[in-house]
Amino acid sequence: MKRILLSVLLSSFMAAAPQSAMPATSEAETVTYSDFAWVNYITTSMTHVYFATTEGIIRFNRIEMRWEEPLTGAQGIDHRDIQRIWVDMFDEKLYARTSATSYEFDLLFREWFSIMEIPRLNVNYVHIKPPSMMFAPSGFTYDPAGFITDWHGRNFPFSDMIDDRSGNFWIGIWGLGAATAGSPSSVIELLPFGLIQNRVDAIYNDNGVLWVSGSSLGAIRSGISVFDVENNSFSHIESGTGDDLRQANIHSIDGNDKYIYLGSDDGLFVLDRDNLRVKKTLGYRSGLPDDNVMSLLAVGDSLFVGTESGACLLTSEADSIRIIRPGQFVNTAIYDLELGDSAIWIASSAGGFKLHLGSDRLQRFQDPHNIAFGHVSNIELFEDQVWMVSDAGLVNIDLSTGETHPYISTFRSFGKRALAVNDQIAAVASDRGLLVYLLEYDPPIEREFTSLDGLPSENIYELMLDGDYLWIGSDRGLTRFLWNDPDRID
């Protein structure tokens, strides 16, 4: 409370001062994980290897053989335009060149500053051409012209390669990302890091492991990114490369102890946790109301499925499908499903509803402010609070008192909005980025964050709160945002 109050007081003091383009966020506040598979250039120190990709710089600890956080939160540079990078031998100076100018990275303040030219550095590596003989990873073949080919005939050329003069090659493979090889054996090992595709529409928190996916948008590689947050490691389940997981635009992800469920515009995919293979695919012909699956809610061994044309309940491992309220939800899009105390809360194109489990009694939320009367695109529950977002704004319902509180911003129009809440903030996607309400104040304080504040994009499709962090899914990747940063000056 004191930290937030200090932030507000500092904000009031600075309001009278001339405003600049300096963002309110710090480097530690935003870190974005994107599709880092497109490597422009490589540099290495005694302890780290840096890969300049089309989505920013990623850093590999070569001593501990693990990835560290990407340098995508630092201010002062266009991360998508970094063409070349250089680091000195002892990791004290890092330099980059974009299409416009050259930069130096300040390790103390974690910011980039433009410079006139790159100084001469003492380095311990040399850029080389691909050797005539290398051994490709499993599923690939190596061509001495400098590329590897997968079993689907796709070519992935080497974009850069260095010899660190200590027995290791470090390789950038265009479309596959970073790789390494021992110089005596020349066996290529892929080092996957980041998302398999940039757009994020769905995030599922599986006990600290994030399952991330979204619309493929014609990407060469697409599918599911599995992000172990604690270990900062990634694995990928690629779609469209065989008969298993078809390429589709994935809207939602949920799971239980046996399966991971993927809701897409081409049906429902059921993945077996043991082997990560698709056990079955369900769609309209299987009994779902529609092939376009927009929302999922796993409750024990049952699965509630929201589609573009209604909702259904799957039981006994999807052997039984029951349409939920066909008279009520016919031709109704079900955007979100949330589990409350003995009830399912439903966000739909016909409004917000509460379905009582057991009795199947259905209640439509009667909003005195008419915010949740029509199109309700998202719904969130936290303790005894229910939040709904619609075309008209945001509304909060206190289940213990029955009171409702509207949140309407007159300078924006709400469409389909991502939403995340806890006891301190309500975060919702706005027309210009991220809108955060600080709920400790009466009335709540409203703060909007845009690309000027360090967000990689203003097109936000998914939000998920995780303690002091807010995970943001956009068309530029997955961003970890420290919403409770005590050093931020708003």
Side-chain angles (χ1 to χ4, degrees), residues 2 32 35 62 89 157 172 186 196 229 305 320 332 336 400 436:
K2 290 181 180 179
T32 296
D35 178 3
R62 53 185 285 190
M89 188 180 301
S186 295
I196 197 170
V229 177
V305 180
S320 174
T332 300
D336 195 19
S400 62
V436 175

Side-chain angles (χ1 to χ4, degrees), residues 44-73:
T44 181
S45 67
M46 296 291 290
T47 58
H48 292 82
V49 185
Y50 297 81
F51 298 83
T53 79
T54 55
E55 296 293 336
I57 297 173
I58 56 177
R59 179 170 56 178
F60 188 76
N61 188 317
R62 53 185 285 190
I63 306 300
E64 301 176 8
M65 291 299 291
R66 63 175 178 85
W67 286 103
E68 296 183 357
E69 285 189 350
L71 303 181
T72 53

Side-chain angles (χ1 to χ4, degrees), residues 336 338 378-382 385-388 419-421 463:
D336 195 19
E338 293 291 330
N378 214 321
I379 188 167
E380 289 291 325
L381 278 67
F382 188 84
Q385 305 290 313
V386 177
W387 296 79
M388 298 183 188
L419 175 65
V421 299
L463 296 170

Side-chain angles (χ1 to χ4, degrees), residues 263-486:
S264 78
D265 60 356
D266 195 21
L268 171 68
F269 302 106
V270 182
L271 268 67
D272 192 311
R273 276 188 180 272
D274 292 335
N275 55 26
L276 299 182
R277 303 280 297 181
V278 175
K279 180 179 180 180
K280 62 179 64 177
T281 302
L282 302 173
Y284 179 74
R285 292 184 177 181
S286 308
L288 300 188
D290 196 282
D291 283 335
N292 190 9
V293 177
M294 310 183 78
S295 55
L296 298 170
L297 175 62
V299 182
D301 291 333
S302 299
L303 180 69
F304 291 86
V305 180
T307 76
E308 192 174 17
S309 302
C312 66
L313 173 63
L314 279 61
T315 56
S316 302
E317 299 181 3
D319 291 332
S320 174
I321 299 176
R322 179 174 66 86
I323 304 297
I324 298 175
R325 292 280 178 160
Q328 181 72 50
F329 291 129
V330 62
N331 296 324
T332 300
I334 309 299
Y335 297 116
D336 195 19
L337 298 161
E338 293 291 330
L339 178 64
D341 292 336
S342 68
I344 303 293
W345 289 82
I346 302 171
S348 77
S349 57
F353 294 85
K354 181 180 182 181
L355 177 67
H356 294 265
L357 299 176
S359 67
D360 266 0
R361 185 165 62 94
L362 186 69
Q363 287 179 290
R364 180 171 181 170
F365 176 59
Q366 302 296 324
D367 177 16
H369 312 286
N370 289 327
I371 292 177
F373 179 75
H375 180 114
V376 175
S377 65
N378 214 321
I379 188 167
E380 289 291 325
L381 278 67
F382 188 84
E383 296 178 347
D384 57 353
Q385 305 290 313
V386 177
W387 296 79
M388 298 183 188
V389 63
S390 75
D391 296 336
L394 184 66
V395 64
N396 162 256
I397 308 104
D398 189 322
L399 297 179
S400 62
T401 65
E403 295 181 353
T404 59
H405 301 278
Y407 298 81
I408 304 175
S409 297
T410 57
F411 57 85
R412 67 179 54 79
S413 170
F414 282 78
K416 189 179 188 309
R417 300 297 183 194
L419 175 65
V421 299
N422 61 16
D423 59 337
Q424 297 182 63
I425 68 167
V428 62
S430 76
D431 287 344
R432 294 193 295 269
L434 176 68
L435 186 62
V436 175
Y437 292 95
L438 301 178
L439 304 177
E440 293 183 90
Y441 299 93
D442 189 15
I445 293 176
E446 177 182 323
R447 170 73 162 90
E448 190 169 50
F449 297 88
T450 70
S451 58
L452 295 177
D453 300 297
L455 296 184
S457 172
E458 276 127 23
N459 301 315
I460 294 174
Y461 305 110
E462 180 68 315
L463 296 170
M464 188 192 74
L465 277 162
D466 183 17
D468 289 336
Y469 293 109
L470 176 68
W471 291 101
I472 302 172
S474 72
D475 59 347
R476 293 281 300 275
L478 178 68
T479 299
R480 192 193 67 199
F481 176 62
L482 183 59
W483 66 267
N484 202 21
D485 185 359

Side-chain angles (χ1 to χ4, degrees), residues 75-77 86 92-97 101-107 110-119:
Q75 305 295 328
I77 198 170
W86 299 266
E92 295 176 342
K93 296 289 186 180
L94 179 65
Y95 299 92
R97 179 177 296 153
T101 189
S102 300
Y103 294 85
E104 178 181 345
F105 186 58
D106 190 303
L107 297 172
R110 311 291 289 178
E111 288 189 61
W112 291 95
F113 296 93
S114 61
I115 57 176
M116 294 298 295
E117 60 180 355
I118 306 294

